[in-house]
Amino acid sequence: LFVIDAKEGITPADLHIAKMLREGMGNADRYRDLFNSSTPRDVPVILVANKAEGAFIGPYLNDCYELGVGDPVIISAWKNEGIEELYDRLQLEVGHLQQEDEEGSEEEEEEE
């Protein structure tokens, strides 16, 4: 999850972090293994615009696309808004990993 401040808009730090995520810096290698991938593009990054009370992101929505990490999920953690949309996006992007993990656990239990 890449969380930005919807009230403040895109900052130079946000642009720098987005570039690092797109290039696969940090712990991306560990996640590439989970996704059986060799490229950073295959590791999902979910952009979350927080502090968007009333689902209002103001003039910054278009700026989110400058980050190059996809469509933002608009939330307000403080008012508990948009959390279902975030959960749906997580299920879409990485839900299959949980299913694989649960299947692996079931197989281990059967072997015992």
Side-chain angles (χ1 to χ4, degrees):
L1 296 177
F2 177 23
V3 181
I4 61 169
D5 185 332
K7 288 184 179 177
E8 187 173 333
I10 304 302
T11 65
D14 294 333
L15 291 168
H16 180 72
I17 291 168
K19 182 179 182 219
M20 287 177 18
L21 290 169
R22 285 191 314 269
E23 294 174 353
M25 295 179 80
N27 293 326
D29 289 336
R30 181 171 61 144
Y31 296 105
R32 273 191 220 104
D33 291 342
L34 286 173
F35 285 88
N36 296 319
S37 167
S38 60
T39 65
R41 284 258 183 244
D42 296 332
V43 178
V45 174
I46 300 172
L47 179 61
V48 179
N50 190 25
K51 299 184 183 178
E53 285 73 27
F56 180 74
I57 192 168
Y60 302 118
L61 180 61
N62 288 337
D63 294 345
C64 291
Y65 293 98
E66 287 181 34
L67 298 172
V69 292
D71 296 329
V73 178
I74 312 301
I75 72 164
S76 170
W78 182 55
K79 292 197 172 187
N80 199 28
E81 297 172 344
I83 303 303
E84 284 188 34
E85 288 82 3
L86 178 57
Y87 179 76
D88 290 344
R89 183 72 167 277
L90 283 166
Q91 283 292 90
L92 178 68
E93 298 285 349
V94 297
H96 66 282
L97 294 177
Q98 182 179 9
Q99 292 171 349
E100 289 173 6
D101 190 39
E102 289 173 356
E103 289 171 3
S105 297
E106 289 174 5
E107 289 173 4
E108 288 175 10
E109 289 175 9
E110 289 175 5
E111 290 176 4
E112 294 175 2

